[in-house]
Amino acid sequence: QVQLAESGGRLVQAGESLRLSCTDSGRTFSLYTMGWFRQAPGKERVFVAAISAIGESTQYNDFVEGRFFISRNNARSRLYLQMNSLKPDDEAVYYCARARSGLLTTRISDFDSWGQGTQVTVSE
């Protein structure tokens, strides 16, 4: 049973940094690609970043523009998203998700387990 739990979301000012964490309570974290998605009010959930099972490959959405960095600690079954130079447009609920395989993918349909999300609010 995969249970993903995000944490770290909060209110920040534009330009500040924030690190999100995701803990997987299952036993197979290291076998799967993991990703971060976000959903702003009234908008679809979109891909933010993904990292392959052993962390050798990453992929980012273009809007990240070198500001966000995804990482993972397989020994601790944790996924991270370091977000720098936050903008008001980054405000959203951020979701951690597990893919169906260990191969890198960015397609939302390839992710089958999701956390409840953590709110990131960015003020001007």
Side-chain angles (χ1 to χ4, degrees):
Q1 180 88 18
V2 177
Q3 290 188 337
L4 303 175
E6 304 92 339
S7 62
R10 62 180 177 89
L11 171 64
V12 297
Q13 291 188 333
E16 291 186 341
S17 297
L18 196 60
R19 190 176 82 155
L20 305 182
S21 299
C22 172
T23 299
D24 180 358
S25 62
R27 300 180 181 180
T28 58
F29 179 79
S30 63
L31 298 180
Y32 299 98
T33 285
M34 298 295 295
W36 288 99
F37 293 77
R38 73 186 190 187
Q39 188 167 18
K43 296 187 178 181
E44 294 184 348
R45 191 173 299 188
V46 297
F47 167 75
V48 175
I51 185 167
S52 56
I54 60 173
E56 81 282 8
S57 298
T58 58
Q59 188 70 44
Y60 297 92
N61 196 313
D62 288 344
F63 61 65
V64 167
E65 299 173 329
R67 301 179 296 125
F68 293 4
F69 300 94
I70 188 171
S71 61
R72 66 190 298 163
N73 183 327
N74 284 348
R76 301 185 69 186
S77 296
R78 289 192 178 174
L79 178 72
Y80 303 101
L81 184 67
Q82 177 67 40
M83 304 187 294
N84 301 322
S85 301
L86 282 161
K87 305 175 182 179
D89 285 348
D90 295 319
E91 183 166 310
V93 177
Y94 282 73
Y95 296 90
C96 163
R98 192 196 78 168
R100 293 187 178 88
S101 79
L103 298 177
L104 192 64
T105 180
T106 64
R107 295 184 300 185
I108 193 170
S109 59
D110 288 337
F111 291 81
D112 62 354
S113 298
W114 296 83
Q116 294 300 308
T118 186
Q119 175 71 47
V120 173
T121 303
V122 184
S123 64
E124 295 279 0

